[in-house]
Structures are given as C-alpha cells and as structure tokens.
Amino acid sequence: MSSPVTLDHEGKVGIITLNRPEVLNAINEPMLSPWVDALEECRTNPEVLAIVVTGAGEAFCRGGDTTKLGAHTEPGPVDIKEQFWDRLHRIPKKLAEIDKPVIAAVNGLASGAGVDVSLQCDLRFAASSASFRVSYTAFGLVPGNGGTYFLPRIVGEAKALELFYAAEPISAEEALRIGMVNRIFDDPDFMGGCMAFAHDIAERAPLAMQLVKRAVRQSPAMDLHTHLDMVSSHMLITRPSEDHAEAIRAY
C-alpha cells in the first residue's frame, strides 16, 4: 500500500506529494505523520535546498476529509480541538521551522484546507487549469488550518474577507491578479516550470536564502530600527562567506 504522502528527491529539490488521488488528496489523519516526517527530512537534510509541495492526480488538495465532518458525527468538542491543535496544525508549525524555500505547486483544485496548505508555503505556482475556493463559510465552518492568518498577509484584509465571505471558486488567473498566486504555467509545462524555478533557487547561496526568509518572516513583528539592526547582523554572517566571495568573482 502506497504512502498517503511521499517524498522524492530531484537534485537539490525535495518533492512532497499528497498522494490520495482517488479522493482528490483530501486530508485525513493517516496523512499527517508521514507529511511531518517528509518536511522534517527536508528541513534537516543538507542536500535539500528547496522544497516543492504538490498533489497526485488531478487535484492539489480538496480540503479535509468530509467523512469526518458533520454536526452529529464524532468526535466531541475536546477531541475536535486536539484534532486541530495537536495533529493537523503540526503541518504549519513544522513549515514555520523551515528556512529553505517552499513552493506550493497547485496542479488542480485547491479548496478549504487545501487552500490553507498552499498559503502556508512561501510561493504558490498554479497550473492554468487550477482553481481555488476558500470554502469554509459555505459549510458553516471557520478556516481551521491557518487561512485567516496567511491569506490577509498575502492579499490584504479586505480581499481576504471577500474571499472568506463569498466562498466562491476563483480561477488561477484571478488568483494571480490578486497576488494569491505568484506564477501560472500552462498545464503541459506546469511541473517542468515549477521544477525549473526550484532548481534555480536551489543553486543560490543557501545561507543568504535562509537569512532572507527569516528576515521577511520576522519583519512584521519588528519596528524599523529593530529590523535594520537584525539585518546588519545578518551581513556579519554573509559578507565574509565563501558564497559571497564566489559570487563576486563570478560577477
């Protein structure tokens, strides 16, 4: 029986694939541990310098497994809280520990928690036929996987609220227009385009890439003087590095 989440390596790029194509990669409990393990392997493996997250088959991720939803189904309130905080939320918490670039390669439908999964990544690339639906309110739910944290930071508060309120599908082109997606590739060239970008950034100086990601992620919690103090300290690390010297020689 195949794993519900797989990890492959292509050069310096780790490829994490949500692997339940028969249910459009709906998230269920057995996916979580191998998913966390794959992220941790990419985080700690010095040979992996960029990460791509995608879905098997025709979808990226349709969201949570609906067989576990419904007002009259188990579990109870405490179990629901633990299901999110102790289990599902392990994914965004683990991603927050990763300094390497992480790209969501959205190859088809991303809905509900599937949208949240893409938002947890640094960048989102979409196939031209991909679609996104922030669907929670249509099911009487709140975004349970970080959507209300990530989406306003990416598209702005008003646009995020519009998407949450409307709960309507949007195309890859619209997602690109509002800044939810970074790039679109035609379907036949999709994974090739995603991997070409991932391979390119995996060749950049890894220390600089890690510190840039940290600086960007930490900046919203800092005032300007604190941020400038931090990045001047980062320069103490990068300026004397061999990566910098080699780049100057090449230039």
Side-chain angles (χ1 to χ4, degrees):
M1 183 177 179
S2 61
S3 172
V5 176
T6 63
L7 172 60
D8 299 292
H9 299 275
E10 186 176 303
K12 298 176 182 178
V13 180
I15 307 166
I16 297 174
T17 303
L18 310 184
N19 190 35
R20 300 182 71 214
E22 70 281 359
V23 291
L24 304 181
N25 302 313
I27 300 170
N28 67 357
E29 183 83 19
M31 295 177 73
L32 301 180
S33 288
W35 194 341
V36 172
D37 291 344
L39 289 170
E40 179 65 8
E41 160 65 16
C42 289
R43 185 185 75 84
T44 58
N45 187 341
E47 301 300 317
V48 174
L49 298 181
I51 304 164
V52 173
V53 180
T54 193
E58 299 180 355
F60 178 71
C61 176
R62 79 175 193 195
D65 192 334
T66 56
T67 61
K68 299 297 184 182
L69 300 179
H72 303 294
T73 61
E74 297 294 341
V78 173
D79 294 326
I80 291 172
K81 172 71 176 179
E82 291 179 349
Q83 183 181 52
F84 282 90
W85 180 253
D86 293 333
R87 297 193 283 277
L88 183 60
H89 291 168
R90 292 164 65 199
I91 306 303
K93 290 173 184 175
K94 179 58 65 177
L95 279 164
E97 299 174 5
I98 296 176
D99 290 332
K100 302 170 184 180
V102 184
I103 301 167
V106 183
N107 52 308
L109 171 69
S111 181
V115 175
D116 293 351
V117 168
S118 74
L119 299 175
Q120 295 162 11
C121 300
D122 301 331
L123 304 175
R124 283 149 298 283
F125 295 165
S128 56
S129 63
S131 63
F132 298 79
R133 188 186 182 198
V134 187
S135 57
Y136 291 100
T137 58
F139 294 95
L141 297 172
V142 298
N145 203 23
T148 46
Y149 179 87
F150 294 105
L151 191 57
R153 286 166 167 77
I154 294 169
V155 302
E157 181 180 301
K159 177 55 71 173
L161 285 171
E162 177 189 344
L163 295 172
F164 287 130
Y165 292 161
E168 296 172 344
I170 64 170
S171 66
E173 289 78 9
E174 176 64 9
L176 178 66
R177 187 187 71 80
I178 65 176
M180 189 173 172
V181 159
N182 297 88
R183 300 187 182 192
I184 295 175
F185 296 101
D186 290 336
D187 286 12
D189 306 319
F190 173 62
M191 282 307 296
C194 292
M195 293 304 298
F197 185 93
H199 284 301
D200 181 53
I201 61 175
E203 293 299 325
R204 306 296 171 92
L207 182 59
M209 299 288 281
Q210 291 171 6
L211 292 177
V212 164
K213 181 170 177 175
R214 288 188 191 182
V216 170
R217 287 288 176 86
Q218 293 168 354
S219 64
M222 295 179 173
D223 59 60
L224 177 61
H225 283 77
T226 304
H227 185 77
L228 293 176
D229 181 50
M230 179 186 71
V231 296
S232 64
S233 297
H234 288 349
M235 274 295 187
L236 298 177
I237 301 170
T238 56
R239 277 283 290 273
S241 70
E242 180 56 32
D243 285 338
H244 173 60
E246 183 180 342
I248 292 298
R249 288 193 296 269
Y251 180 77

